[in-house]
Amino acid sequence: MARLLSNDEITRQLQELPGWKRSDDTITATYAAPTFPDAIRLVDEVALEAEDMNHHPDIDIRWRTTTWSLFTHDAGGVTQLDIELAHRIAGHAEALGASSE
């Protein structure tokens, strides 16, 4: 099982993830893609990453805006898996021209 990160570890690592913030036991971000197909493409690309990691985000899709929530359920909070997936989401968002809100 992945180790829970401390509050200080989460705060420090989120500084390297613009647009990401902590909300209780999750980290969240919202990205606005240039178009609806770009938003769906972002979800599709992240789905492949998440499947490879066996770590799946909660995703809300509203037109061209996607909101991501990451939480390691079996650990009961934020772990390094969440931080790593957040970096991958941010990278795909940037490549598709999506901006964090």
Side-chain angles (χ1 to χ4, degrees):
M1 178 186 335
R3 176 184 68 82
L4 280 176
L5 297 178
S6 70
N7 289 332
D8 289 341
E9 289 172 314
I10 295 168
T11 299
R12 181 175 39 81
Q13 293 197 54
L14 287 181
Q15 290 174 357
E16 299 172 12
L17 285 161
W20 285 85
K21 55 188 161 251
R22 185 171 186 184
S23 177
D24 298 322
D25 289 333
T26 65
I27 57 174
T28 64
T30 299
Y31 290 96
T35 66
F36 179 70
D38 288 330
I40 298 304
R41 192 171 298 112
L42 174 59
V43 170
D44 188 47
E45 289 179 5
V46 171
L48 296 173
E49 297 272 358
E51 193 66 15
D52 286 345
M53 294 175 69
N54 193 31
H55 192 62
H56 306 92
D58 291 334
I59 309 165
D60 180 67
I61 306 167
R62 308 285 171 122
W63 185 39
R64 58 184 194 88
T65 301
T66 57
T67 300
W68 306 81
S69 297
L70 304 178
F71 170 88
T72 303
H73 296 274
D74 60 352
V78 178
T79 68
Q80 196 60 42
L81 282 171
D82 300 302
I83 299 296
E84 175 60 30
L85 186 53
H87 278 286
R88 293 181 186 199
I89 293 166
H92 285 292
E94 182 178 345
L96 288 168
S99 58
S100 61
E101 293 188 339

